[in-house]
Amino acid sequence: MSVSAKAMADAELEGAFSLLRAFLASDEHYLDSANAYGDRGPDALGHALRLFLLRPELGFVWLVLDAGAVVGCCVVCYAISTSAGAIVAKLDDLCVLSGREGQGIGTTLIDSLKAELRSRGARRIDTSCHLENLRARDFYVRLGFRSLNEERLALVL
């Protein structure tokens, strides 16, 4: 597998949109929580991706590309942690192109993202997964993430 990783630029916006749209429309665990998140559909996703390009100080979309095609991606937003006393990253919507699962793309995504975030001065990556998504939980734990023994909550404004 000869893949590369990078932050999304204008040229990859369509590929990232397609991958994330398919994920958000079909992932049973996301769909179980979509109402609580206030999901506003594909138009909101497109707007969010353009915001990442316009406001890079808030975060970015991290991609894995194979021959220029987006085969994996995730969304990263910055926050300030009072416990770390530093910038940390919130990881969301990690997905791999259907049919490409189990090929190391997710691991490449996280490993390259860790290096990128270290170079940007981030001290920690925070993420979450649905309580019943044991496959995702096991993936994160295998890559060094640790359980916080807490539940993530949302309030739509």
Side-chain angles (χ1 to χ4, degrees):
M1 178 175 68
S2 176
V3 297
S4 60
K6 67 179 288 259
M8 180 186 72
D10 286 327
E12 296 91 22
L13 184 108
E14 186 177 320
F17 176 83
S18 293
L19 182 56
L20 284 163
R21 181 178 183 187
F23 168 72
L24 296 174
S26 65
D27 183 79
E28 67 179 301
H29 300 104
Y30 174 76
L31 292 171
D32 187 50
S33 303
N35 240 7
Y37 277 124
D39 184 299
R40 292 181 32 231
D43 288 341
L45 171 61
H47 182 72
L49 294 178
R50 287 187 298 282
L51 276 173
F52 279 111
L53 295 174
L54 291 171
R55 304 285 308 273
E57 73 277 10
L58 298 178
F60 55 93
V61 178
W62 191 246
L63 307 173
V64 172
L65 304 169
D66 187 359
V70 177
V71 295
C73 71
C74 63
V75 172
V76 179
C77 295
Y78 295 120
I80 299 170
S81 167
T82 55
S83 62
I87 300 295
V88 296
K90 177 185 168 278
L91 170 66
D92 251 339
D93 301 332
L94 188 148
C95 55
V96 172
L97 184 66
S98 181
R100 297 293 305 264
E101 302 92 342
Q103 298 178 13
I105 292 168
T107 299
T108 297
L109 190 85
I110 294 294
D111 287 346
S112 60
L113 178 62
K114 289 191 300 190
E116 179 68 18
L117 287 169
R118 280 187 195 106
S119 77
R120 294 179 183 220
R123 298 281 305 270
R124 186 179 72 225
I125 301 172
D126 294 333
T127 194
S128 63
C129 60
H130 193 282
L131 294 172
E132 295 177 9
N133 192 348
L134 300 180
R135 184 174 177 214
R137 185 186 187 288
D138 291 346
F139 168 77
Y140 288 121
V141 168
R142 183 173 51 80
L143 293 175
F145 288 76
R146 295 173 36 188
S147 174
L148 299 175
N149 297 320
E150 56 189 37
E151 183 177 357
R152 184 173 173 182
L153 305 170
L155 173 64
V156 176
L157 302 175

